[in-house]
Amino acid sequence: IFGPPPRAPRGRAALCAFHVNGVSPKDVSKLMDQSGVAIRAGSHCTQPLHRVLGVETSARASLYIYNTKDEVDTLVARLKHILAHELSHRSS
């Protein structure tokens, strides 16, 4: 996960940009979409930051005041499931 920790003095925005070693952000986005959760993948107009972080692209989940706790829990659960499945298949 990129960005400051949640308890940072200035906090953080309601978005989560991340990169998973061994799994393309576009693949993560596509699989999340197929399971009913929309996230973005790409450069997000932050190519200089991606260079500093050592990645070409990232995945990003953006939240706002209208998202419910259940929706956030669904996002996390589906992402965990997809990553466990993808990583287990790539390591076999």
Side-chain angles (χ1 to χ4, degrees):
I1 295 176
F2 301 124
R7 297 184 198 280
R10 294 181 54 184
R12 60 178 292 143
L15 60 86
C16 180
F18 59 95
H19 182 84
V20 180
N21 290 333
V23 184
S24 159
K26 288 186 180 185
D27 288 346
V28 173
S29 178
K30 178 181 170 188
L31 292 166
M32 290 290 286
D33 183 56
Q34 290 172 349
S35 68
V37 177
I39 65 170
R40 303 253 184 216
S43 64
H44 318 295
C45 300
T46 61
Q47 293 91 335
L49 176 59
H50 281 136
R51 278 193 294 275
V52 169
L53 296 171
V55 298
E56 290 185 30
T57 59
S58 62
R60 185 186 73 207
S62 301
L63 305 170
Y64 199 58
I65 58 173
Y66 49 74
N67 291 108
T68 66
K69 181 182 181 311
D70 287 343
E71 289 172 328
V72 175
D73 290 344
T74 298
L75 166 86
V76 171
R78 290 186 178 163
L79 182 58
K80 283 181 177 180
H81 174 79
I82 287 167
L83 295 180
H85 182 265
E86 283 299 302
L87 294 174
S88 71
H89 277 78
R90 290 170 193 248
S91 63
S92 347

